[in-house]
Amino acid sequence: MSPFRILIVCHANTSRSVIAEALLARMLAEHGLDDRVVLSSGGIAAYARDGALASFDARLALRDAGIHIAADTVSTDLKRNRAHVAGADLILAMTDEQVAMLARDFPESHGKPVFTLRAFAGGGGDIEDPARKDEAFFAACFAEIRDSLAAGLPRLSAMVAAR
């Protein structure tokens, strides 16, 4: 059986999607699903670049949660790495704008389940970019990602089990 592939998307793949990928990896491991799911993340904005370092604030927030990511963790530009989109079984974005960008600019996403993270969790609205914001905003963004992932985990578990 092939693994269930989840792609997490944000603008540059240096903060929100990095945090979501690391948190979801831990949650999947805690629920015994890590051997059935493959996670990846990427950026879709014009300024997304392959090889940009994950933000220092993202690293600090993850470290404070007991998650250490490799020092050489870098971003993926999905415009240049469309196979990530094509191979995904589920795509989770941070904003409605990113969902629209996927529909408009990435035909590889057509026919796939594509949601904002908050919508997948049963809510609505965007998870705003914490770049160039203060520490309190970044902490709130981290908590919003963590809580949305936790709320969406039962739905995700059902999708993986149905595979």
PDB file of all heavy atoms in Angstrom, residues 110-127:
ATOM      1  N   HIS A 110      -5.836  20.097  -9.458  1.00  0.00           N
ATOM      2  CA  HIS A 110      -7.238  19.897  -9.828  1.00  0.00           C
ATOM      3  C   HIS A 110      -7.681  18.464  -9.544  1.00  0.00           C
ATOM      4  O   HIS A 110      -6.964  17.513  -9.838  1.00  0.00           O
ATOM      5  CB  HIS A 110      -7.459  20.246 -11.290  1.00  0.00           C
ATOM      6  CG  HIS A 110      -7.151  21.687 -11.590  1.00  0.00           C
ATOM      7  ND1 HIS A 110      -7.131  22.183 -12.855  1.00  0.00           N
ATOM      8  CD2 HIS A 110      -6.832  22.741 -10.787  1.00  0.00           C
ATOM      9  CE1 HIS A 110      -6.822  23.475 -12.835  1.00  0.00           C
ATOM     10  NE2 HIS A 110      -6.627  23.825 -11.585  1.00  0.00           N
ATOM     11  N   GLY A 111      -8.840  18.345  -8.940  1.00  0.00           N
ATOM     12  CA  GLY A 111      -9.384  17.033  -8.598  1.00  0.00           C
ATOM     13  C   GLY A 111      -8.886  16.485  -7.275  1.00  0.00           C
ATOM     14  O   GLY A 111      -9.310  15.407  -6.865  1.00  0.00           O
ATOM     15  N   LYS A 112      -8.002  17.199  -6.632  1.00  0.00           N
ATOM     16  CA  LYS A 112      -7.480  16.769  -5.332  1.00  0.00           C
ATOM     17  C   LYS A 112      -8.206  17.526  -4.221  1.00  0.00           C
ATOM     18  O   LYS A 112      -8.632  18.652  -4.429  1.00  0.00           O
ATOM     19  CB  LYS A 112      -5.988  17.062  -5.225  1.00  0.00           C
ATOM     20  CG  LYS A 112      -5.144  16.308  -6.231  1.00  0.00           C
ATOM     21  CD  LYS A 112      -3.684  16.663  -6.076  1.00  0.00           C
ATOM     22  CE  LYS A 112      -2.856  15.938  -7.098  1.00  0.00           C
ATOM     23  NZ  LYS A 112      -2.829  14.499  -6.901  1.00  0.00           N
ATOM     24  N   PRO A 113      -8.305  16.949  -3.028  1.00  0.00           N
ATOM     25  CA  PRO A 113      -8.857  17.719  -1.913  1.00  0.00           C
ATOM     26  C   PRO A 113      -7.858  18.806  -1.493  1.00  0.00           C
ATOM     27  O   PRO A 113      -6.714  18.504  -1.140  1.00  0.00           O
ATOM     28  CB  PRO A 113      -9.073  16.678  -0.814  1.00  0.00           C
ATOM     29  CG  PRO A 113      -8.270  15.480  -1.211  1.00  0.00           C
ATOM     30  CD  PRO A 113      -8.009  15.565  -2.670  1.00  0.00           C
ATOM     31  N   VAL A 114      -8.292  20.052  -1.597  1.00  0.00           N
ATOM     32  CA  VAL A 114      -7.471  21.213  -1.242  1.00  0.00           C
ATOM     33  C   VAL A 114      -8.280  22.056  -0.267  1.00  0.00           C
ATOM     34  O   VAL A 114      -9.406  22.457  -0.583  1.00  0.00           O
ATOM     35  CB  VAL A 114      -7.098  22.054  -2.483  1.00  0.00           C
ATOM     36  CG1 VAL A 114      -6.271  23.270  -2.078  1.00  0.00           C
ATOM     37  CG2 VAL A 114      -6.360  21.205  -3.516  1.00  0.00           C
ATOM     38  N   PHE A 115      -7.709  22.318   0.889  1.00  0.00           N
ATOM     39  CA  PHE A 115      -8.392  23.072   1.933  1.00  0.00           C
ATOM     40  C   PHE A 115      -7.429  24.059   2.570  1.00  0.00           C
ATOM     41  O   PHE A 115      -6.223  23.814   2.579  1.00  0.00           O
ATOM     42  CB  PHE A 115      -8.848  22.138   3.079  1.00  0.00           C
ATOM     43  CG  PHE A 115      -9.795  21.063   2.696  1.00  0.00           C
ATOM     44  CD1 PHE A 115      -9.327  19.813   2.320  1.00  0.00           C
ATOM     45  CD2 PHE A 115     -11.157  21.286   2.729  1.00  0.00           C
ATOM     46  CE1 PHE A 115     -10.201  18.803   1.980  1.00  0.00           C
ATOM     47  CE2 PHE A 115     -12.041  20.274   2.393  1.00  0.00           C
ATOM     48  CZ  PHE A 115     -11.560  19.033   2.013  1.00  0.00           C
ATOM     49  N   THR A 116      -7.986  25.098   3.189  1.00  0.00           N
ATOM     50  CA  THR A 116      -7.157  25.827   4.153  1.00  0.00           C
ATOM     51  C   THR A 116      -7.073  24.922   5.379  1.00  0.00           C
ATOM     52  O   THR A 116      -7.965  24.085   5.610  1.00  0.00           O
ATOM     53  CB  THR A 116      -7.742  27.191   4.557  1.00  0.00           C
ATOM     54  OG1 THR A 116      -8.970  26.989   5.255  1.00  0.00           O
ATOM     55  CG2 THR A 116      -7.910  28.117   3.361  1.00  0.00           C
ATOM     56  N   LEU A 117      -6.049  25.093   6.156  1.00  0.00           N
ATOM     57  CA  LEU A 117      -5.881  24.283   7.361  1.00  0.00           C
ATOM     58  C   LEU A 117      -7.064  24.472   8.306  1.00  0.00           C
ATOM     59  O   LEU A 117      -7.597  23.508   8.857  1.00  0.00           O
ATOM     60  CB  LEU A 117      -4.556  24.628   8.050  1.00  0.00           C
ATOM     61  CG  LEU A 117      -4.223  23.868   9.322  1.00  0.00           C
ATOM     62  CD1 LEU A 117      -4.272  22.369   9.116  1.00  0.00           C
ATOM     63  CD2 LEU A 117      -2.856  24.303   9.830  1.00  0.00           C
ATOM     64  N   ARG A 118      -7.495  25.724   8.447  1.00  0.00           N
ATOM     65  CA  ARG A 118      -8.624  25.996   9.346  1.00  0.00           C
ATOM     66  C   ARG A 118      -9.915  25.378   8.827  1.00  0.00           C
ATOM     67  O   ARG A 118     -10.711  24.865   9.606  1.00  0.00           O
ATOM     68  CB  ARG A 118      -8.760  27.486   9.577  1.00  0.00           C
ATOM     69  CG  ARG A 118      -7.589  28.009  10.432  1.00  0.00           C
ATOM     70  CD  ARG A 118      -7.725  29.452  10.769  1.00  0.00           C
ATOM     71  NE  ARG A 118      -8.816  29.604  11.724  1.00  0.00           N
ATOM     72  CZ  ARG A 118      -9.323  30.767  12.069  1.00  0.00           C
ATOM     73  NH1 ARG A 118      -8.862  31.880  11.545  1.00  0.00           N
ATOM     74  NH2 ARG A 118     -10.306  30.836  12.939  1.00  0.00           N
ATOM     75  N   ALA A 119     -10.150  25.404   7.505  1.00  0.00           N
ATOM     76  CA  ALA A 119     -11.357  24.786   6.944  1.00  0.00           C
ATOM     77  C   ALA A 119     -11.319  23.270   7.129  1.00  0.00           C
ATOM     78  O   ALA A 119     -12.332  22.658   7.458  1.00  0.00           O
ATOM     79  CB  ALA A 119     -11.504  25.152   5.476  1.00  0.00           C
ATOM     80  N   PHE A 120     -10.160  22.663   6.929  1.00  0.00           N
ATOM     81  CA  PHE A 120     -10.021  21.217   7.120  1.00  0.00           C
ATOM     82  C   PHE A 120     -10.354  20.835   8.555  1.00  0.00           C
ATOM     83  O   PHE A 120     -10.907  19.773   8.816  1.00  0.00           O
ATOM     84  CB  PHE A 120      -8.614  20.757   6.752  1.00  0.00           C
ATOM     85  CG  PHE A 120      -8.457  19.267   6.739  1.00  0.00           C
ATOM     86  CD1 PHE A 120      -8.951  18.515   5.685  1.00  0.00           C
ATOM     87  CD2 PHE A 120      -7.830  18.608   7.781  1.00  0.00           C
ATOM     88  CE1 PHE A 120      -8.829  17.126   5.671  1.00  0.00           C
ATOM     89  CE2 PHE A 120      -7.698  17.225   7.780  1.00  0.00           C
ATOM     90  CZ  PHE A 120      -8.204  16.482   6.718  1.00  0.00           C
ATOM     91  N   ALA A 121     -10.035  21.730   9.484  1.00  0.00           N
ATOM     92  CA  ALA A 121     -10.284  21.486  10.906  1.00  0.00           C
ATOM     93  C   ALA A 121     -11.727  21.792  11.305  1.00  0.00           C
ATOM     94  O   ALA A 121     -12.089  21.630  12.466  1.00  0.00           O
ATOM     95  CB  ALA A 121      -9.321  22.318  11.747  1.00  0.00           C
ATOM     96  N   GLY A 122     -12.542  22.248  10.344  1.00  0.00           N
ATOM     97  CA  GLY A 122     -13.939  22.526  10.641  1.00  0.00           C
ATOM     98  C   GLY A 122     -14.247  23.981  10.902  1.00  0.00           C
ATOM     99  O   GLY A 122     -15.369  24.329  11.273  1.00  0.00           O
ATOM    100  N   GLY A 123     -13.269  24.843  10.699  1.00  0.00           N
ATOM    101  CA  GLY A 123     -13.476  26.269  10.924  1.00  0.00           C
ATOM    102  C   GLY A 123     -13.425  27.042   9.627  1.00  0.00           C
ATOM    103  O   GLY A 123     -13.811  26.541   8.576  1.00  0.00           O
ATOM    104  N   GLY A 124     -12.927  28.227   9.717  1.00  0.00           N
ATOM    105  CA  GLY A 124     -12.801  29.055   8.532  1.00  0.00           C
ATOM    106  C   GLY A 124     -11.800  30.158   8.780  1.00  0.00           C
ATOM    107  O   GLY A 124     -11.350  30.367   9.906  1.00  0.00           O
ATOM    108  N   GLY A 125     -11.445  30.840   7.734  1.00  0.00           N
ATOM    109  CA  GLY A 125     -10.510  31.949   7.840  1.00  0.00           C
ATOM    110  C   GLY A 125      -9.083  31.522   7.588  1.00  0.00           C
ATOM    111  O   GLY A 125      -8.783  30.337   7.421  1.00  0.00           O
ATOM    112  N   ASP A 126      -8.241  32.512   7.537  1.00  0.00           N
ATOM    113  CA  ASP A 126      -6.832  32.320   7.210  1.00  0.00           C
ATOM    114  C   ASP A 126      -5.957  32.236   8.454  1.00  0.00           C
ATOM    115  O   ASP A 126      -6.309  32.762   9.510  1.00  0.00           O
ATOM    116  CB  ASP A 126      -6.334  33.500   6.374  1.00  0.00           C
ATOM    117  CG  ASP A 126      -6.996  33.583   5.019  1.00  0.00           C
ATOM    118  OD1 ASP A 126      -7.582  32.588   4.563  1.00  0.00           O
ATOM    119  OD2 ASP A 126      -6.929  34.663   4.406  1.00  0.00           O
ATOM    120  N   ILE A 127      -4.807  31.618   8.279  1.00  0.00           N
ATOM    121  CA  ILE A 127      -3.737  31.707   9.268  1.00  0.00           C
ATOM    122  C   ILE A 127      -2.738  32.695   8.677  1.00  0.00           C
ATOM    123  O   ILE A 127      -2.079  32.399   7.681  1.00  0.00           O
ATOM    124  CB  ILE A 127      -3.097  30.339   9.551  1.00  0.00           C
ATOM    125  CG1 ILE A 127      -4.145  29.400  10.165  1.00  0.00           C
ATOM    126  CG2 ILE A 127      -1.887  30.497  10.473  1.00  0.00           C
ATOM    127  CD1 ILE A 127      -3.665  27.991  10.420  1.00  0.00           C
TER     128      ILE A 127
END
